[in-house]
Structures are given as C-alpha cells and as structure tokens.
Amino acid sequence: MNILGIESSCDETAAAVYSESGLRSNVIASQAVHRKFGGVVPELASRAHQQSIWGVTRQALNEASITIEDIDAIAVTNGPGLMGALLVGMCFAKGLALSHKKPLIGVNHIDAHIYANFIDNEPNYPFLSLIVSGGHTRLVLVHDFMQHEILGETRDDAAGEAFDKTAKILGLPYPGGPLMDRKSRTGDRSFVKFPQALLSEGYEFSFSGLKTSVLYHIEAIPEAERGTYLELNIENLSASISHAITEVLVKKTKKALKEFKIRDLVLAGGVSANSMLREKMHLLAKEMGITLHIPNPVYCTDNAAMIAVTGYHKAIRNQYDDALKLEAFASLK
Ligand code: KG4
Ligand code: ZN
C-alpha cells in the first residue's frame, strides 16, 4: 500500500510517500519569504504553497520511483493551521483524488506530529505524548490509535512560541527556536533563574510570564550597555531560557508518567528537536525505566512523512473521507 501525504498548514510545502515497508520519499520546501517579516505572513504562505505544491509532489513521487497511479490513497492535512495555506493543500489533494479516482484521508496536523513516531518504530499503547510545537503544548494520554485523552495544555503561549518570542527579545532572527538551541549548547543554564510557571497546577502550562521576565531582564541593563551585554551573554541567556522552558515540560511529563503508570513516552512537534529537551527526557526515561520515543529531527518539525504515516494507519483501518465533503479547520475545537 502506497500513501501520498501532503502538508501545507503553515510555511512548509511538503509531500511524502509511505508504504508498509517504510518511508519511500520525503520532500519539504521551506518558505524563506517570511524571514524578513519576523513571522509567517498568511497570504504569502498561501501563494508560496500554490507555487511549489505540484513540484514538491512530483519530486516525492519521483524519489519513491512511482507514479500517481501506484498510489493507493492520498492523505492531506485538513487542520489546524492557516486557513488559506490549508486550502491550497486540500484543493490540490482533492483534485488529485477525484481525477485519479483515489480515496482521500484527512489528517489532523497535531495528531500527525504524534504518529511521526511510527515512521521508524512502533510505540506501545497506551503511551503518554508531549506535543510541543509552534502553536500547541499539550500532554495527551493515547489509549489506542486516535483515542486521545488530553491531560492539559497551555493557557497562553506554546513552547515553540516561547522559544521564538524570547529569541526575538535577544535579537535572534525568526524562527528563533533552532538558533537558541544552538547558542544554548555552550551556555551556563544557571546564569539567570527565569520563572517556571504553574509547577504545582496539574498539567496546564503557561509561558507568557517567561517572555515578560526575559524582557524585564534585558530592559534592566542600561541602554548603552545592552548590545555588549547581549553579545557577551547570548549563550548564557539562551541556556537559561531553554532551561526554564524544558524544566517545566520535563517536570509535568514526569508527574503524568507516575500518575498514570505509563511505560512509553512519545515526544512530538517542532520543539522535540530541541537538544536540551531531548537530553533531559533521555535522563528522565533512564531514571524511570521507561521507553522514550523521539522522532528523527527531520520528522519533528512540519513535514509530510508524518501525514503519510498517519494516513497509512487510517487506511489500514478503513478510515477514509469523502473528497467532496472533507472540510478544512483553522483551530482545534
Ligand atoms: O511543529 P512545528 O514545525 O510547527 C508547528 O506545527 O507549529 O514547530 C515549529 C516550532 C517553532 O516555534 C520553532 O522555533 C520550534 O518549533 N523549534 C525549536 C527547535 N526546532 C524547532 N525550538 C527549540 N529548539 C529547536 N531545536
Ligand atoms: Zn506542526
């Protein structure tokens, strides 16, 4: 069975082919057009998807050495994401499905981040999943395929947003998360003690206070000295901020693993590429004697391999959608 996956929910246009023997191709076109704006511009994202979606899909088919006729079903992200961006992928996938008489499968982008862990191996159900992306931060108990129980989520900023927004305060370009990760590797984590919010409050998260605290810290430095201070301490500040974010994620995850006696932990979303988070989660897994699953960094950030693999697991359970009725949705209910 060959599944073509298509992803266009934000600023990556992606296509991939997954079959029962594994991933056959994975093509991603990242949109550089947003960089000078310091964030994703929705209309520019839609236009860039429109320009590259056919080329990216053709390349994914070529790299898998198959044609569209060899595809058994088309899986496409139908939300959450930027509505205009989603519609480019959806309309393209629907057109392909209807014209080539292939079944269509709508895939929730956040679910797909979780099932990215099934590309290279198979976590055992039930497992705990920590989803940390640019738009979401959630702890979810996954009882079985698509049987998700949300334990808690963020009240304000997502973990990825916390990385990006604090990186911006430090003067790093967008998206700051990966850059802050690199800087933090040689920094001192205890240089500044930034706040770790809601530690005693169940499984909810809050990262907006951290952003304010970083801003106040920088504004407390006399303006004439700020540039030099940032230049000298960018590694230490990056490490201290990364420490505050990852400590909260690790502590809440540990609490859930204990409370629900879960043996498999699955990380998902762009922030699971973060090296400090990966290091701390490996230590946690060792301490608790559980199995940790983290996708290869290429499958942590937005990609279509995760859409294709989720589509595959839906297809083998006959979970298809009607191409004429499948709708896009911008946010999670
Ligand atoms: O999952 P993703 O690619 O897109 C969404 O669905 O949101 O996540 C993107 C987020 C961005 O905020 C980005 O800065 C963050 O993930 N990110 C990282 C790293 N790589 C990506 N944050 C910290 N360290 C990283 N290595
Ligand atoms: Zn994502």
Side-chain angles (χ1 to χ4, degrees):
M1 186 185 271
N2 289 311
I3 307 291
L4 171 66
I6 292 172
E7 154 69 31
S8 72
S9 65
C10 192
D11 59 345
E12 320 277 1
T13 317
V17 176
Y18 185 86
S19 74
E20 54 271 288
S21 56
L23 190 64
R24 300 186 61 168
S25 65
N26 184 33
V27 180
I28 305 174
S30 296
Q31 302 177 356
V33 63
H34 308 288
R35 233 166 262 154
K36 61 177 177 285
F37 299 100
V40 178
V41 183
E43 173 62 17
L44 295 182
S46 307
R47 290 178 192 215
H49 285 308
Q50 182 74 37
Q51 279 160 5
S52 50
I53 197 149
W54 177 226
V56 163
T57 305
R58 208 168 30 202
Q59 193 182 336
L61 291 170
N62 286 344
E63 287 182 12
S65 304
I66 57 172
T67 69
I68 188 72
E69 296 315 326
D70 303 313
I71 290 292
D72 295 286
I74 298 166
V76 63
T77 308
N78 66 323
L82 301 169
M83 185 49 90
L86 285 167
L87 285 176
V88 176
M90 290 267 295
C91 292
F92 179 74
K94 284 183 175 196
L96 268 187
L98 291 168
S99 58
H100 292 273
K101 299 191 170 51
K102 306 288 180 188
L104 187 72
I105 303 166
V107 171
N108 177 310
H109 180 91
I110 306 302
D111 291 345
H113 272 302
I114 298 178
Y115 293 98
N117 284 278
F118 286 70
I119 295 171
D120 292 327
N121 60 30
E122 296 245 333
N124 296 309
Y125 296 105
F127 58 79
L128 177 73
S129 184
L130 173 71
I131 305 162
V132 273
S133 71
H136 301 88
T137 298
R138 289 194 154 172
L139 266 171
V140 180
L141 267 185
V142 180
H143 297 286
D144 205 338
F145 181 68
M146 293 294 163
Q147 287 180 31
H148 301 174
E149 182 187 339
I150 299 168
L151 299 181
E153 57 194 330
T154 182
R155 291 182 185 171
D156 39 58
D157 291 348
E161 251 179 311
F163 272 109
D164 296 340
K165 288 179 177 173
T166 52
K168 195 172 177 180
I169 297 171
L170 301 188
L172 297 173
Y174 178 86
L179 257 179
M180 190 179 272
D181 184 359
R182 243 170 285 150
K183 300 271 180 210
S184 70
R185 287 175 203 173
T186 49
D188 173 8
R189 295 174 192 190
S190 57
F191 183 67
V192 184
K193 207 166 178 287
F194 288 117
Q196 299 172 21
L198 307 185
L199 279 184
S200 56
E201 291 189 44
Y203 299 113
E204 295 207 331
F205 301 87
S206 169
F207 292 106
S208 63
L210 171 67
K211 182 181 61 194
T212 314
S213 161
V214 173
L215 189 66
Y216 286 172
H217 178 81
I218 302 299
E219 281 180 352
I221 312 288
E223 214 174 331
E225 296 163 27
R226 228 172 264 164
T228 317
Y229 176 77
L230 279 172
E231 210 171 297
L232 287 176
N233 294 300
I234 191 78
E235 285 87 4
N236 293 336
L237 290 166
S238 296
S240 300
I241 295 168
S242 304
H243 180 65
I245 297 172
T246 53
E247 274 301 290
V248 177
L249 298 173
V250 172
K251 285 173 182 163
K252 300 237 172 193
T253 302
K254 181 175 180 178
K255 183 177 150 114
L257 287 168
K258 274 189 178 165
E259 181 176 344
F260 298 98
K261 299 185 176 58
I262 297 290
R263 313 294 316 152
D264 280 57
L265 171 63
V266 162
L267 299 194
V271 178
S272 54
N274 182 266
S275 55
M276 196 185 289
L277 182 66
R278 291 168 91 98
E279 171 205 311
K280 287 182 182 179
M281 287 296 188
H282 276 294
L283 289 176
L284 176 68
K286 206 168 162 200
E287 176 195 330
M288 297 192 66
I290 57 144
T291 308
L292 173 66
H293 306 267
I294 315 181
N296 178 318
V298 189
Y299 312 138
C300 287
T301 46
D302 290 350
N303 65 85
M306 68 183 194
I307 306 302
V309 74
T310 310
Y312 172 81
H313 285 275
K314 283 189 152 191
I316 58 176
R317 292 168 175 85
N318 275 315
Q319 295 176 8
Y320 295 105
D321 289 288
D322 182 334
L324 291 175
K325 290 190 182 149
L326 185 70
E327 286 182 8
F329 60 95
S331 52
L332 289 174
K333 293 187 190 69

